[in-house]
């Protein structure tokens, strides 16, 4: 499964490789992967390359637990960072990127598959998406995958972004809201706002994946 947090949309500020060097994203990704690899079945790997997908960051999650995080340096794809990054939050760019990497790794967590299989989507939340035929054969599955990975990213930011956590999380949720028409299967903003209104602390010995499952299931 290839999953991308930053999917195609219009009307955002463009980011190029001069403003945000690929080496910086690679370094942040490696640091986050080291932090989270204990939650993985196997050690994740990182690839920096040009791919045709229209997004700069993604992950390949295999059924055997293998996880490959992809930094896509395609110039057109790189511009998609403008969904999250702008002059107002420039100081928080590294932490926003780190949360984005955590999102991609969330797709690889063993809990992601069980969450998608067992979580029941509220009909009001998913209205209009389940009947569309233009966003793939299983839009509800995509929505649940994105919701879980977004929750992982939020929990990661809460624990690692310090005083910038709210800014990082707001940038993610605002992007989901802003591009909901383009990405209906990624329109998780309503549930994420409900999530952050609650206590998101992890319980003893609870992985990020288990915490995300517990907290989303309680909403």
């Amino acid at each position: 499964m290839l999953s991308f947090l930053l999917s195609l949309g219009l009307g955002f500020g463009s980011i190029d490789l001069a403003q945000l060097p690929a080496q910086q994203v690679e370094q942040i990704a490696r640091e986050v992967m080291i932090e989270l690899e204990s939650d993985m079945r196997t050690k994740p790997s990182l690839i920096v390359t040009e791919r045709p997908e229209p997004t700069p960051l993604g992950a390949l999650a295999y059924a055997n637990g293998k996880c490959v995080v992809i930094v896509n340096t395609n110039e057109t794809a790189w511009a998609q960072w403008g969904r999250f990054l702008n002059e107002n939050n420039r100081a928080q760019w590294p932490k926003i990127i780190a949360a984005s990497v955590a999102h991609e790794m969330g797709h690889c967590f063993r809990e992601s598959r069980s969450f998608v299989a067992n979580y029941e989507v509220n009909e009001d939340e998913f209205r209009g998406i389940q009947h569309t035929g233009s966003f793939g054969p299983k839009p509800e599955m995509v929505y649940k995958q994105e919701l879980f990975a977004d929750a992982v990213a939020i929990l990661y930011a809460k624990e690692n972004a310090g005083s910038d956590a709210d800014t990082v999380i707001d940038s993610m949720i605002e992007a989901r809201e802003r591009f909901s028409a383009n990405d209906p299967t990624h329109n998780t903003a309503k549930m994420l706002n409900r999530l952050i209104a609650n206590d998101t602390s992890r319980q003893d010995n609870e992985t990020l994946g288990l915490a995300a499952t517990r907290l989303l299931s309680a909403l």
Side-chain angles (χ1 to χ4, degrees), residues 190-212:
K190 181 178 178 180
M191 293 298 289
L192 298 180
N193 278 315
R194 291 176 61 185
L195 174 66
I196 62 176
N198 297 315
D199 181 3
T200 57
S201 301
R202 278 200 263 179
Q203 298 176 351
D204 291 343
N205 300 317
E206 191 175 44
T207 65
L208 279 179
L210 287 173

Side-chain angles (χ1 to χ4, degrees), residues 6 12-26 48-49 53-57 70-83 85 97:
L6 309 170
F12 54 90
S14 181
I15 300 291
D16 60 33
L17 286 161
Q19 296 169 293
L20 178 63
Q23 294 86 347
Q24 181 180 0
V25 176
E26 178 183 1
V48 181
T49 186
E53 290 87 7
T55 50
L57 188 65
I70 301 166
V71 176
N72 179 16
T73 57
N74 178 297
E75 183 178 357
T76 302
W78 206 253
Q80 297 284 327
W81 280 117
R83 286 181 164 227
L85 311 179
I97 294 167

Side-chain angles (χ1 to χ4, degrees), residues 88-101:
N88 292 331
N89 62 22
R90 179 175 282 274
Q92 289 80 36
W93 281 17
K95 294 178 181 178
I96 295 172
I97 294 167
S100 299
V101 175

Side-chain angles (χ1 to χ4, degrees), residues 40-164:
M40 316 288 290
R41 294 185 215 172
T42 58
K43 184 176 180 178
S45 57
L46 177 68
I47 296 175
V48 181
T49 186
E50 283 198 22
R51 292 177 61 98
E53 290 87 7
T55 50
L57 188 65
L60 284 164
Y62 295 88
N64 65 359
K66 180 181 178 182
C67 178
V68 180
V69 176
I70 301 166
V71 176
N72 179 16
T73 57
N74 178 297
E75 183 178 357
T76 302
W78 206 253
Q80 297 284 327
W81 280 117
R83 286 181 164 227
F84 296 90
L85 311 179
N86 56 60
E87 287 303 316
N88 292 331
N89 62 22
R90 179 175 282 274
Q92 289 80 36
W93 281 17
K95 294 178 181 178
I96 295 172
I97 294 167
S100 299
V101 175
H103 168 103
E104 297 304 338
M105 292 191 69
H107 285 297
C108 297
F109 286 173
R110 61 176 67 89
E111 295 87 1
S112 176
R113 293 182 184 276
S114 60
F115 178 83
V116 170
N118 298 311
Y119 182 74
E120 294 188 9
V121 179
N122 182 286
E123 289 186 6
D124 291 335
E125 174 64 14
F126 202 61
R127 182 176 297 155
I129 298 177
Q130 66 267 44
H131 300 300
T132 181
S134 59
F135 296 97
K138 298 180 179 179
E140 183 175 354
M141 180 180 293
V142 174
Y143 173 84
K144 290 192 284 187
Q145 290 168 346
E146 294 304 315
L147 178 61
F148 178 86
D150 280 350
V152 168
I154 284 176
L155 296 180
Y156 178 87
K158 286 275 191 180
E159 295 180 7
N160 294 276
S163 60
D164 291 323

